[in-house]
Amino acid sequence: MVKLNKIYTRTGDDGTSGLADGSRIAKYDSRMQAIGDVDECNCTIGLAISAIQTEYPQHSNVLASLRAIQNDLFDLGADIATPGDDFTPSEMVLRIIDERIIWLENLIDETNADLQPLNSFILPGGSASASALHLARAITRRAERSITAAHNEHGVNPAAMAYINRLSDLLFTLCRSMNNGGADDILWVPGGSR
């Protein structure tokens, strides 16, 4: 269990951050950028949870899934913060595992089965819950780009990259779910503002 007695340590005052193995890297390093973007993704999922609790408290299964995802995202940050090319999880090393990706895929399939067919791209918006999920989806895509950049520079667990990719897909289907199963989606009309 993690125990934090002190919030500030002063160890980052020199512009570096610590990794899981105790090594230090620049705060602007691609690995730290990815960790920060995953954190921002997690924050926006928290915002979406708050919106869903207010707007659709009956969606307890969605809320429980999003809370599990928030926990996964902390694991994902720890995974990225662990250097090396051995991506095997252990008692002391957190790694995203294939079972979590399969879990996301099952959630996507379950959610998508209840949605109206998609006949156009949709604009971000609709209900407050859908709007918050759209924001989380967009930030998740940024996190995916950052993780890919970190992978190209340092090497990242392939399962971590797959997880963040599936997460954005899930968030998209949840956006539509929170828009009355897609009935209240705002459709893109190409050239419609001309």
Side-chain angles (χ1 to χ4, degrees):
M1 183 56 97
V2 175
K3 185 176 182 181
L4 301 173
N5 290 327
K6 232 178 160 168
I7 300 304
Y8 63 90
T9 63
R10 297 189 176 113
T11 57
D13 292 352
D14 65 352
T16 64
S17 287
L19 296 177
D21 67 353
S23 63
R24 299 196 66 78
I25 60 172
K27 290 188 180 195
Y28 58 80
D29 186 274
S30 62
R31 190 182 294 273
M32 293 311 300
Q33 180 68 48
I35 292 167
D37 287 346
V38 168
D39 183 38
E40 189 177 352
C41 167
N42 205 341
C43 292
T44 55
I45 289 174
L47 179 66
I49 288 170
S50 296
I52 295 167
Q53 284 175 322
T54 300
E55 200 169 25
Y56 303 110
Q58 69 275 18
H59 288 303
S60 58
N61 57 335
V62 172
L63 293 166
S65 294
L66 289 173
R67 286 188 190 101
I69 288 165
Q70 284 192 297
N71 199 77
D72 284 348
L73 289 173
F74 259 78
D75 291 351
L76 179 61
D79 190 333
I80 297 167
T82 305
D85 55 6
D86 179 4
F87 303 117
T88 308
S90 69
E91 279 296 315
M92 298 304 295
V93 179
L94 276 172
R95 296 293 190 189
I96 295 297
I97 57 175
D98 290 339
E99 287 80 1
R100 297 311 293 161
I101 299 162
I102 293 166
W103 177 74
L104 284 177
E105 290 172 348
N106 289 335
L107 284 174
I108 293 166
D109 292 342
E110 290 168 17
T111 305
N112 200 48
D114 295 332
L115 300 179
Q116 294 187 2
L118 192 57
N119 300 316
S120 174
F121 288 106
I122 61 173
L123 302 178
S127 69
S129 297
S131 297
L133 287 164
H134 272 296
L135 180 61
R137 174 194 53 76
I139 291 172
T140 300
R141 285 289 189 207
R142 177 167 14 105
E144 181 180 11
R145 293 189 298 274
S146 296
I147 292 169
T148 301
H151 173 67
N152 288 338
E153 188 172 336
H154 302 289
V156 171
N157 181 1
M161 294 192 303
Y163 183 92
I164 201 77
N165 184 279
R166 289 313 175 286
L167 177 56
S168 61
D169 294 335
L170 173 65
L171 293 172
F172 178 75
T173 60
L174 289 175
C175 293
R176 299 197 66 224
S177 179
M178 295 299 123
N179 272 341
N180 193 22
D184 296 337
D185 283 340
I186 303 166
L187 300 181
W188 173 48
V189 179
S193 300
R194 291 182 189 164

